[in-house]
Amino acid sequence: MLIAQKTSGEKILAQECLKSEKDLLCPLCKQPVILKKGTIKIPHFAHLRREDCQSFSEGETQEHLQNKLFLQKWTQKGVLEAYLPELKQRPDLLLDFLAIEVQCSSLKIERFMERTNNYLKHGYHPWWLLGKKLGPNKLQQPFTTLQKAVTYYSKQKGFFLWLIRADSKEIWLLYDLHWHFQGNVHFKIKKWHFLEVPLSQMFQFQVNRTPFQWGQNDYRMHLQKKLMTEQEGARRLQEKIYLQGGNLLDLPSWCYEASPYQFFFEDQLLFLRFSFLQTKNYQEWLEQLKNLEFSWLFPLASQKLILEEIYNECIFLSKK
């Protein structure tokens, strides 16, 4: 942690704390902490017994500490490690109702969903930024479950996520994300250097989205290869469509066109398009989707909005 509390109740930043300072406490659990201030690592406080504190029980890497300080220096107004008692959560930085979370080490998807949904339920806007180890290291590589979970969606930007690089003093926006049937993800990158713009202005950044296409027959052939090699996901998808009277490889040609929504659904989007062919209206289509057995692990993207847009996309493509 970067902030401790004196016995007087005054809070002190680790960088400004003297080694001679005594009787320092954790601001939350009120248990003793010690100052760790050397020449290599960032000054910080540590519990004498970490298991006594639930809020700081996950531990923090040096990268995490560095990124928190970097963000606080950028905004000057944010509150470091602000505890929200009604949520029983502590964002890394709180800027009004913007709860900023920096994630630099592995995190269980269940824990991420719990924390994110709790922010949203209480009217906070969670802003997740991934550190070096968790963010995509190069273009056109498969995304992990957590990388997809921290992805946002808007009609203007499409799918996008945020990365933080305190060592180079930058925040990155990866936007216009597109899944390719070969398993890769294509995207564009926008970088802001330290103090280039206020943090809040980054959300107003206007992007240019590029239509993403592939050959319909190429995708169909790729699916055929998956079925021939008995790839589990393709086989289960074929079974679902077959039980509804269809064939995965014999859908109308427009069903094999690329879609931005495949970033979440991947091959499963074909079942949504097939279900469109089998139903008469949006409500019937939603009912048919219950057979998909697809878990929505994306709290930063509106499921309702995306399903509506997928249905409208089906209408548009089927009329071309």
Side-chain angles (χ1 to χ4, degrees):
M1 74 184 75
L2 296 174
I3 295 177
Q5 183 176 308
K6 299 180 181 181
T7 52
S8 63
E10 179 186 358
K11 292 183 179 180
I12 185 169
L13 189 66
Q15 284 187 324
E16 301 171 356
C17 185
L18 300 177
K19 290 186 177 180
S20 59
E21 192 76 54
K22 303 295 183 181
D23 301 324
L24 297 170
L25 304 175
C26 170
L28 303 184
C29 68
K30 309 305 179 184
Q31 296 299 313
V33 298
I34 57 173
L35 174 66
K36 293 191 173 184
K37 197 170 190 178
T39 58
I40 299 177
K41 295 184 178 180
I42 294 175
H44 64 283
F45 300 103
H47 286 82
L48 290 176
R49 294 182 59 191
R50 195 177 69 186
E51 62 270 20
D52 289 338
C53 184
Q54 293 299 317
S55 183
F56 287 95
S57 61
E58 295 177 356
E60 295 181 282
T61 64
Q62 282 298 304
E63 182 193 4
H64 192 181
L65 293 168
Q66 185 182 19
N67 281 323
K68 287 200 295 185
L69 277 176
F70 171 61
L71 286 171
Q72 200 277 335
K73 289 178 180 178
W74 194 316
T75 177
Q76 297 294 324
K77 297 180 181 179
V79 181
L80 273 172
E81 302 169 350
Y83 184 64
L84 303 174
E86 70 275 24
L87 282 72
K88 297 182 179 180
Q89 290 181 198
R90 176 190 51 83
D92 291 319
L93 189 70
L94 185 65
L95 187 59
D96 295 325
F97 280 87
L98 181 64
I100 303 176
E101 290 275 10
V102 175
Q103 196 64 38
C104 298
S105 55
S106 60
L107 177 67
K108 291 184 178 180
I109 192 66
E110 294 82 6
R111 180 63 178 141
F112 164 77
M113 295 285 290
E114 177 187 351
R115 287 164 62 178
T116 302
N117 285 326
N118 205 20
Y119 282 131
L120 295 171
K121 178 182 176 181
H122 288 84
Y124 291 91
H125 178 74
W127 185 16
W128 288 87
L129 301 101
L130 297 182
K132 273 191 172 182
K133 291 183 179 179
L134 296 185
N137 295 317
K138 59 182 180 179
L139 296 171
Q140 302 178 10
Q141 69 173 14
F143 270 37
T144 66
T145 301
L146 181 61
Q147 287 168 351
K148 288 189 174 184
V150 302
T151 296
Y152 298 75
Y153 176 78
S154 72
K155 289 185 176 182
Q156 194 264 328
K157 289 187 179 67
F159 293 96
F160 61 97
L161 79 159
W162 299 92
L163 309 181
I164 184 168
R165 300 291 184 264
D167 55 349
S168 60
K169 296 185 178 181
E170 292 175 328
I171 291 178
W172 297 7
L173 172 66
L174 274 55
Y175 66 97
D176 205 12
L177 305 174
H178 289 276
W179 175 83
H180 193 278
F181 59 75
Q182 293 178 337
N184 303 323
V185 175
H186 299 243
F187 53 83
K188 301 173 185 175
I189 304 179
K190 166 65 180 176
K191 300 179 182 181
W192 288 273
H193 194 69
F194 182 55
L195 297 181
E196 183 178 337
V197 298
L199 290 180
S200 59
Q201 283 190 17
M202 294 182 188
F203 296 99
Q204 279 73 53
F205 175 65
Q206 301 295 313
V207 306
N208 294 317
R209 298 177 60 183
T210 305
F212 188 75
Q213 299 178 334
W214 58 48
Q216 297 173 1
N217 288 333
D218 293 337
Y219 185 29
R220 196 197 307 258
M221 291 295 294
H222 188 78
L223 291 167
Q224 186 175 24
K225 289 179 181 178
K226 283 186 175 181
L227 292 174
M228 291 177 63
T229 56
E230 299 185 350
Q231 199 268 353
E232 178 65 16
R235 185 186 63 79
R236 289 177 61 86
L237 179 59
Q238 168 71 313
E239 288 178 354
K240 288 186 178 68
I241 292 178
Y242 181 78
L243 289 174
Q244 301 295 326
N247 188 312
L248 178 61
L249 303 177
D250 194 28
L251 302 177
S253 59
W254 66 264
C255 291
Y256 302 102
E257 288 197 23
S259 168
Y261 312 106
Q262 284 162 326
F263 177 74
F264 281 163
F265 288 94
E266 299 184 359
D267 291 332
Q268 299 293 319
L269 188 72
L270 288 169
F271 183 81
L272 278 70
R273 290 177 169 178
F274 171 74
S275 297
F276 170 81
L277 298 170
Q278 302 294 106
T279 54
K280 297 179 181 179
N281 54 55
Y282 181 67
Q283 291 303 318
E284 283 188 14
W285 181 71
L286 288 178
E287 188 67 25
Q288 180 88 337
L289 297 190
K290 293 180 180 179
N291 298 317
L292 186 59
E293 300 176 2
F294 183 86
S295 298
W296 192 261
L297 303 176
F298 321 109
L300 302 172
S302 167
Q303 182 182 28
K304 180 177 182 294
L305 173 63
I306 288 177
L307 288 179
E308 288 174 353
E309 293 190 4
I310 290 175
Y311 190 80
N312 290 331
E313 180 186 65
C314 288
I315 294 174
F316 173 75
L317 292 176
S318 64
K319 292 180 177 180
K320 284 179 59 176

